[in-house]
Amino acid sequence: MTRRSCDPPSVTTKMAALRSCGAFCLHLFFLHFVSSESQSVFRGESFRRKLSVELNPGRPGPPSPGGDLMHVRAVGLNDTLHFLFCSQGAPTLLLVHTNSSSSTVEVDWPQFLMRNVSGSLRVEPESSILQSNAIVFSRLLEYDDVNDTAKATSDLFPPYDLQDFTWAPLNLSGASALLCGAAATFDNGSLCLKLTVFDSEGRDQMLPRLLHSANSSQLEVWLDGLVPRVSRSRFLLELQAVGGAYPLSRVEVRRSIDDEFTPTIFKVLQWLPALNRTSHGSVFLQWKPVSYRRSPPSVEEGSPTRSSLPRPQRGEEALSALITAFYAEPETFGINVSFGISGEPFYGRSRFLSWTVLLGVGTPPMDSFSPMVLIMMAVGLGTPMMLLVLGGVCICVRKRASASNYEPIN
């Protein structure tokens, strides 16, 4: 009498199993491509602000040669962000957050142009103001890096005070503005700042490709064509953060394992209020520690930056007409951002330098793995496991098929 230990699976069953596995693999790859396309379509559509732009709001008569004031009003559901960009004195970007969707900016121009009258620029109603902070680009410093240490010590040249620059009129394009100027001692070249205010979440297409939200603006700064004083020149940029109740007084470093959007850069720096003075919706300044020696920027021309610790400043508020006009008794902290490290080319090689920062309110945006990368990781890790499972199934099927042909002797 013949007995079999198990019935072998039919050929139809085997083929069905293989077809199912193949369909599963194709489905994973389909999800990968669909996700990579859809994320660019749906990103940031959940919240959008309504932007309106005005140059020199309410100023009568022709523009004065002293500089311009740009006002971008970003209205949300029940709040408003007022971005004020001014070239009267040192270039300044002021961000005021209110809890009203109808708050406005009022300027007393005769007093504002005097640059020494507090209260000549107001946000009304004053009771609606939640937060206000400003960033002032105060000085450009150059030093002779004789020993190629990229450390500015006693070899600093007399600084370029940005309040003394001659600034061209603001060049507006939508919610962006370009400001360029030069010092009287410049033989050639210029310093430019480009402000862009955003109405929704997204990411800049140019390196360092900072992630932004509808609560933020971006400032790109570049030095182009300036003839250095010596062949081994390097530069620093001095910034001042001015605020009322919540001044920016500490720099926090956030690290990541992801450099998908800014290759070779694994950290982000954030200039924030003190921990015991932080409120929901505080203002922040954010940047990645990289500058670029060419335009357009590329990974090969990237150069690290370093920043000093924030230090209290006294008597510096008069550098900016906007600060004097808006604040009565502000608190000011300053930092220096240095460009380049030891062993890298000096400024004179390309005579170009660019750096980008983000000024906003609320939770600073943070990079995370994109859906495309997550699916690629899932497919990369899941495929070997699936092959192991399929291999085990095939071995089992073959063993069962061999065992089914064996007839024991009674």
Side-chain angles (χ1 to χ4, degrees):
M1 185 175 180
T2 301
R3 292 185 299 174
R4 297 178 181 177
S5 58
C6 61
D7 294 330
S10 65
V11 175
T12 303
T13 304
K14 296 177 188 176
M15 295 301 295
L18 291 175
R19 283 197 299 269
S20 298
C21 292
F24 179 69
C25 293
L26 289 174
H27 182 62
L28 281 178
F29 282 103
F30 175 76
L31 285 177
H32 158 62
F33 286 110
V34 169
S35 175
S36 63
E37 292 296 325
S38 63
Q39 64 172 327
S40 62
V41 176
F42 295 104
R43 176 185 296 161
E45 296 299 325
S46 58
F47 177 64
R48 185 179 294 271
R49 290 184 178 274
K50 182 179 179 181
L51 303 183
S52 59
V53 182
E54 189 176 7
L55 183 63
N56 301 318
R59 181 158 75 180
S64 67
D68 290 317
L69 175 66
M70 174 191 184
H71 175 217
V72 181
R73 191 167 177 264
V75 181
L77 296 177
N78 52 13
D79 70 335
T80 302
L81 299 177
H82 297 275
F83 294 90
L84 293 141
F85 188 39
C86 183
S87 59
Q88 296 261 355
T92 304
L93 176 59
L94 170 65
L95 172 54
V96 183
H97 184 204
T98 72
N99 61 9
S100 169
S101 57
S102 59
S103 57
T104 59
V105 169
E106 297 182 4
V107 184
D108 185 331
W109 279 103
Q111 292 189 347
F112 182 82
L113 294 174
M114 292 173 63
R115 302 192 186 185
N116 59 3
V117 181
S118 176
S120 57
L121 186 146
R122 302 181 307 279
V123 174
E124 298 290 350
E126 187 176 352
S127 59
S128 68
I129 298 176
L130 299 174
Q131 302 283 339
S132 69
N133 285 87
I135 297 298
V136 181
F137 294 83
S138 52
R139 296 193 301 174
L140 179 68
L141 301 104
E142 182 181 3
Y143 67 98
D144 186 3
D145 192 11
V146 177
N147 298 317
D148 193 16
T149 60
K151 295 180 180 178
T153 53
S154 59
D155 298 320
L156 284 165
F157 293 107
Y160 296 109
D161 287 313
L162 271 60
Q163 65 171 333
D164 298 328
F165 275 39
T166 300
W167 298 103
L170 280 174
N171 185 1
L172 271 59
S173 176
S176 297
L178 176 63
L179 174 66
C180 291
T185 55
F186 277 17
D187 292 331
N188 202 355
S190 61
L191 178 70
C192 295
L193 300 92
K194 182 181 179 181
L195 169 68
T196 303
V197 179
F198 304 106
D199 63 352
S200 61
E201 182 183 346
R203 187 181 298 277
D204 193 16
Q205 296 304 306
M206 302 287 287
L207 287 171
R209 300 193 64 195
L210 295 180
L211 177 66
H212 61 256
S213 70
N215 299 325
S216 60
S217 63
Q218 179 175 285
L219 266 170
E220 182 183 359
V221 187
W222 66 87
L223 183 64
D224 186 13
L226 174 64
V227 178
R229 290 162 172 166
V230 293
S231 61
R232 292 177 172 265
S233 280
R234 296 193 192 275
F235 284 90
L236 301 93
L237 184 62
E238 182 185 85
L239 286 80
Q240 296 179 358
V242 184
Y246 305 98
L248 308 183
S249 58
R250 65 185 177 96
V251 173
E252 178 182 275
V253 179
R254 300 289 298 272
R255 302 182 186 276
S256 171
I257 63 172
D258 181 21
D259 69 339
E260 177 186 359
F261 300 104
T262 314
T264 74
I265 305 300
F266 294 92
K267 58 183 180 180
V268 175
L269 284 80
Q270 298 173 163
W271 199 356
L272 305 168
L275 287 173
N276 61 346
R277 301 179 70 175
T278 301
S279 70
H280 177 68
S282 296
V283 175
F284 64 86
L285 188 75
Q286 183 188 76
W287 68 94
K288 291 188 176 182
V290 61
S291 59
Y292 296 94
R293 296 185 295 264
R294 298 283 184 185
S295 178
S298 65
V299 176
E300 295 76 16
E301 294 295 338
S303 179
T305 67
R306 294 180 296 183
S307 56
S308 64
L309 294 175
R311 295 185 177 180
Q313 307 286 309
R314 294 290 181 270
E316 300 288 340
E317 293 80 9
L319 294 176
S320 166
L322 184 56
I323 299 301
T324 303
F326 184 75
Y327 289 104
E329 297 180 354
E331 286 192 57
T332 305
F333 288 83
I335 66 169
N336 290 330
V337 178
S338 61
F339 304 100
I341 59 174
S342 175
E344 290 205 330
F346 298 100
Y347 168 79
R349 194 197 76 167
S350 61
R351 294 190 182 181
F352 183 87
L353 189 64
S354 69
W355 180 61
T356 305
V357 296
L358 204 70
L359 179 68
V361 66
T363 303
M366 290 300 298
D367 285 330
S368 60
F369 289 115
S370 67
M372 180 181 68
V373 171
L374 291 175
I375 291 178
M376 290 178 67
M377 291 170 62
V379 171
L381 295 174
T383 300
M385 182 63 68
M386 187 167 51
L387 291 175
L388 288 174
V389 172
L390 287 175
V393 170
C394 290
I395 291 172
C396 180
V397 169
R398 291 178 65 88
K399 284 185 176 181
R400 286 175 177 268
S402 298
S404 66
N405 296 324
Y406 173 71
E407 297 184 359
I409 301 174
N410 292 333

